Amino acid sequence: MVGSPNLLMLDEPFSALDGHLRGHLQIQMRHLLQKFGKNALMITHNRNEAYRLCQKVALLDDGEIIALKNTKELFSNPESRQAALLTGCKNVVDAKKAGEYEVDVPSWGVRLSTALPIQNNLCAIAIRAHYFNPKTEQNRYPVNFTCEIEEPFEYILQFRHKNQVKDSPDIWWRIAKDKKGNQLPAELGIASVNILPLYR
């Protein structure tokens, strides 16, 4: 930055740091980039770093750019399987159009309503693990829990729908420890706005 470059290139600048130091340096980096006032290109494998620091994100898969969007737009509507996976979606599943705002998920044995209109070339949907909710009435179905993994501040709970195809993967639900309660719910719902249609 001393030489006042037109482009600042950052190649995984936080990769060798522990979590505590990484967080502090990312805050400092935000201030530095704002003062720099010019373009910066950062390479990262960490979606949280990209979300915190970048206004626009390009996703690369096998050497090709598969998405180039404003950061928040990419995370809210990834549009493709690979983009959904690279932005952290744990639940990506084949789906078919069932109506203008409805999809069938054959391997889960459920039909879901969506907030976004569904195009004819739908191939899958994505649901982020934090979006399931026992209090949500939309897209609500009975579930059977299969696995519980404790993390420092959250639980990963894996479950299956009642009519889910036998060999299909379990579904992920992430929940904060203070929200879990003593008894797991018999049903889970998901708001239509949190169902992300995918087209490739």
Side-chain angles (χ1 to χ4, degrees), residues 58-67 80-83 86:
L59 291 179
L60 278 80
D61 181 49
D62 199 23
E64 293 186 23
I65 294 178
I66 60 169
S80 74
R81 294 173 190 263
Q82 276 302 99
L86 288 171

Side-chain angles (χ1 to χ4, degrees), residues 44 119 137 174:
T44 180
Q119 301 171 25
E137 293 299 325
R174 279 187 176 272

Side-chain angles (χ1 to χ4, degrees), residues 25-105:
L25 285 180
Q26 285 177 11
I27 293 170
Q28 291 181 22
M29 181 66 75
R30 280 176 56 96
H31 295 311
L32 282 172
L33 292 175
Q34 288 169 356
K35 287 182 181 178
F36 180 57
K38 298 178 185 177
N39 290 326
L41 175 67
M42 183 176 77
I43 298 167
T44 180
H45 287 90
N46 186 306
R47 66 180 179 274
N48 293 331
E49 289 176 9
Y51 194 89
R52 290 173 189 149
L53 293 169
C54 302
Q55 295 176 345
K56 188 175 285 189
V57 173
L59 291 179
L60 278 80
D61 181 49
D62 199 23
E64 293 186 23
I65 294 178
I66 60 169
L68 177 59
K69 288 186 173 185
N70 291 335
T71 303
K72 289 186 178 181
E73 182 187 351
L74 176 67
F75 276 77
S76 65
N77 189 18
E79 293 189 299
S80 74
R81 294 173 190 263
Q82 276 302 99
L85 292 169
L86 288 171
T87 57
C89 248
K90 298 299 184 188
N91 304 299
V92 176
V93 60
D94 289 350
K96 299 177 181 178
K97 180 176 180 176
E100 188 177 358
Y101 291 92
E102 284 188 316
V103 298
D104 281 330
V105 185

Side-chain angles (χ1 to χ4, degrees), residues 176-196:
K177 283 190 171 179
D178 62 346
K179 304 283 186 186
K180 180 173 173 279
N182 295 324
Q183 190 171 358
L184 294 174
E187 296 181 342
L188 286 174
I190 180 162
S192 297
V193 70
N194 292 326
I195 296 170
L196 310 176

Side-chain angles (χ1 to χ4, degrees), residues 11-18 22 43-45 49:
D11 187 2
E12 299 195 62
F14 311 106
S15 61
L17 305 175
D18 62 64
R22 185 183 298 123
I43 298 167
T44 180
H45 287 90
E49 289 176 9

